[in-house]
Amino acid sequence: MIGTSGPAEIFAAALAGNKRAELIGERTVGRTGVQELVKLPDGSGLWITSSRYLTPAAAPLQAKGLEPDVVVDQPEGEFGAPAPADAILQRAVERLSTKKAA
């Protein structure tokens, strides 16, 4: 979904940075900055970044993203083919099952 990557990354960074969660999956894209369009007097415009987000350890998220604790590659699906199994979800469920048993 468009528009969810930034907020999801900020939330994941907060959870992981405060040792409240493990990150499982692929590296995130780092789309967390807030940008605004400033209209100029001649009718043109200028995009400026007005805010940047940091992890609890003060590391920037913008353009760097988050590295997961457990790396799992999600297989690419092919157009018209059935969707592949969600490898990231399966690994997360395995991880939770193992932690409960321990």
Side-chain angles (χ1 to χ4, degrees):
M1 292 192 316
I2 296 174
T4 60
S5 64
E9 285 179 277
I10 294 165
F11 186 62
L15 290 173
N18 287 293
K19 306 212 182 311
R20 303 290 296 170
E22 285 183 312
L23 302 182
I24 299 174
E26 299 176 324
R27 179 177 200 80
T28 64
V29 294
R31 291 187 186 152
T32 58
V34 176
Q35 295 185 329
E36 298 177 38
L37 176 62
V38 177
K39 292 184 181 180
L40 301 175
D42 67 356
S44 63
L46 175 68
W47 278 106
I48 61 168
T49 300
S50 60
S51 300
R52 293 188 184 261
Y53 293 94
L54 305 174
T55 67
L61 289 172
Q62 182 67 22
K64 294 184 185 227
L66 298 169
E67 187 66 38
D69 300 307
V70 179
V71 177
V72 179
D73 293 327
Q74 181 68 30
E76 295 287 328
E78 291 198 28
F79 185 74
D86 190 335
I88 297 171
L89 176 61
Q90 289 175 348
R91 182 66 174 121
V93 170
E94 288 173 15
R95 191 89 171 168
L96 286 172
S97 298
T98 302
K99 285 193 173 220
K100 285 183 181 178

